[in-house]
């Protein structure tokens, strides 16, 4: 599985992706320290579809309540034996169809400098097994750019001229602070509105005002859904003289925060729609018109300064 690396200006920040494994980000190093939670590693991601690094969750992020349902005038069918889908412990479809997928074509790789770039495309409509499950022909474009301090990932969905495309994808960047105890990580989750989840981790349909206390993560855990912060305020994890900011720039109206007790990682997950939006439909689900495009961008910035706010 050939990996392609980007090195930002000055060499302090490096990012690595694997095109033959779904364009997964398998490394983000800052001054030699690995900032991604690699969990089971790349081999497990390919063999078992277990998440790690920075995976693309496509065409939906997190869970769906049904395996068959109508959306945007067509029928999604996720229970065929040939469908490349994973299910959670309750049997719900989870994290889309492109985990570790082959079929990405690299169109540009400028590996070094201020604005090192990796671009690739994926023709969803050219894969019969994917269209049988999610019958919306379209193309994906992935573009990662690395500067001295910041990795930016832009994903574009371009619909075919004879079909609209519902958009509910996301990313799941697992972050860690090597050499710093999990309890000492300083976090900032600058959200104002939560989407309560039921026992199956599906939205109840409610929205509630919320304020998440900043400061030390301590023994706190997260697996919670939110409306994206206003004004592109960044999610932050900091400690040991290092600060990581995840910013949702455009196209991501929602986010999930994941910080389990048993794994020293935290994920600030950009999402174009809430969990289960493909099934629920409604105004929270973007739909791309035939021939049109949807663009979504987020960034991960790494610096040697500062901490998260507290209180």
């Amino acid at each position: 599985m050939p990996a392609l690396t980007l090195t930002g200006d000055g060499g302090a920040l490096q990012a690595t992706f694997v095109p033959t494994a779904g364009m997964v980000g398998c490394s983000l190093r800052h001054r030699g320290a690995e900032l991604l939670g690699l969990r089971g590693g790349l081999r497990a991601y390919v063999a078992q579809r277990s998440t790690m690094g920075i995976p693309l969750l496509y065409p939906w992020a997190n869970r769906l309540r049904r395996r068959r349902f109508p959306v945007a005038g067509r029928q999604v069918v996720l229970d065929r034996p040939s469908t490349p889908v994973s299910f959670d412990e309750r049997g719900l479809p989870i994290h889309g169809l492109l985990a570790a997928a082959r079929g990405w074509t690299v169109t540009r790789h400028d590996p070094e400098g201020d604005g090192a770039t990796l671009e690739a495309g994926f023709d969803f409509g050219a894969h019969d097994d994917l269209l049988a499950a999610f019958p919306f022909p379209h193309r994906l474009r992935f573009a990662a750019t690395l500067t001295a301090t910041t990795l930016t990932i832009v994903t574009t969905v371009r619909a075919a001229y004879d079909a609209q495309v519902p958009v509910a994808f996301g990313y799941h960047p697992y972050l860690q602070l090597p050499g710093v105890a999990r309890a000492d990580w300083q976090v900032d989750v600058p959200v104002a509105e939560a989407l309560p989840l039921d026992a199956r981790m599906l939205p109840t349909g409610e929205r509630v005002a919320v304020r998440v206390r900043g400061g030390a993560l301590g023994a706190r855990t997260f697996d919670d859904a939110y409306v994206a912060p206003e004004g592109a305020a960044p999610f932050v994890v900091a400690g040991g003289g290092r600060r990581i900011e995840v910013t949702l720039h455009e196209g991501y109206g929602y986010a999930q925060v994941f910080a389990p007790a048993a794994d020293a990682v935290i994920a600030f997950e950009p999402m174009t729609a809430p969990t289960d939006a493909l099934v629920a439909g409604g105004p929270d689900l973007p739909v791309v018109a035939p021939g049109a495009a949807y663009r979504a961008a987020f960034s991960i910035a790494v610096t040697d300064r500062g901490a998260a706010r507290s209180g």
Side-chain angles (χ1 to χ4, degrees):
M1 291 180 287
L4 298 179
T5 296
L6 302 176
T7 302
D9 194 34
L13 194 62
Q14 287 189 318
T16 303
F17 297 87
V18 184
T20 56
M23 292 304 303
V24 66
C26 66
S27 180
L28 181 64
R29 290 184 173 271
H30 181 242
R31 305 196 188 285
E34 181 59 69
L35 303 184
L36 296 184
L38 302 182
R39 313 185 86 202
L42 186 60
R43 290 185 183 275
Y45 179 63
V46 172
Q48 304 167 19
R49 301 170 63 86
S50 57
T51 51
M52 51 81 70
I54 309 175
L56 168 62
L57 313 178
Y58 193 92
W60 74 89
N62 295 310
R63 294 161 176 83
L64 300 174
R65 71 181 64 239
R66 298 193 185 103
R67 300 187 183 193
R68 294 186 174 221
F69 54 89
V71 59
R74 302 192 178 191
Q75 186 77 11
V76 172
V77 180
L78 302 175
D79 53 6
R80 293 189 178 96
S82 61
T83 300
V85 64
S86 297
F87 300 95
D88 73 1
E89 63 277 7
R90 298 178 181 87
L92 300 179
I94 189 168
H95 293 340
L97 304 172
L98 293 190
R102 294 180 176 271
W104 287 90
T105 300
V106 175
T107 56
R108 179 182 177 187
H109 182 215
D110 298 332
E112 297 180 351
D114 193 27
T117 300
L118 173 62
E119 296 180 357
F122 187 91
D123 185 355
F124 197 95
H127 297 264
D128 291 341
D129 58 337
L130 297 177
L131 278 182
F134 188 74
F136 301 95
H138 63 280
R139 292 178 180 267
L140 284 175
R141 180 178 177 271
F142 171 94
T145 304
L146 193 69
T147 67
T149 62
T150 305
L151 171 66
T152 300
I153 296 177
V154 178
T155 309
T156 304
V157 177
R158 182 166 295 279
Y161 284 95
D162 60 350
Q164 56 186 348
V165 182
V167 176
F169 69 87
Y171 285 83
H172 204 323
Y174 292 97
L175 303 173
Q176 63 176 5
L177 290 171
V180 183
R182 178 192 185 279
D184 295 332
W185 295 359
Q186 302 292 308
V187 299
D188 190 3
V189 181
V191 296
E193 195 171 14
L195 308 179
L197 305 175
D198 64 19
R200 298 173 297 169
M201 300 303 295
L202 296 169
T204 64
E206 302 172 276
R207 295 195 178 197
V208 298
V210 67
R211 182 177 184 273
V212 178
R213 175 174 55 86
L217 181 59
R220 287 185 289 171
T221 62
F222 289 87
D223 199 354
D224 302 287
Y226 302 100
V227 175
E230 292 186 3
F235 295 90
V236 179
V237 59
R242 183 178 282 118
R243 177 183 175 92
I244 307 173
E245 298 184 353
V246 177
T247 303
L248 313 187
H249 295 286
E250 63 175 300
Y252 292 112
Y254 303 87
Q256 188 103 354
V257 178
F258 177 66
D263 193 357
V265 296
I266 188 166
F268 304 121
E269 310 167 29
M271 299 170 62
T272 62
T275 295
D276 197 44
L278 284 182
V279 177
D284 292 333
L285 176 66
V287 178
V288 183
Y294 186 97
R295 186 178 189 270
F298 77 98
S299 67
I300 303 174
V302 186
T303 59
D304 290 313
R305 58 179 177 78
R309 66 174 175 83
S310 60

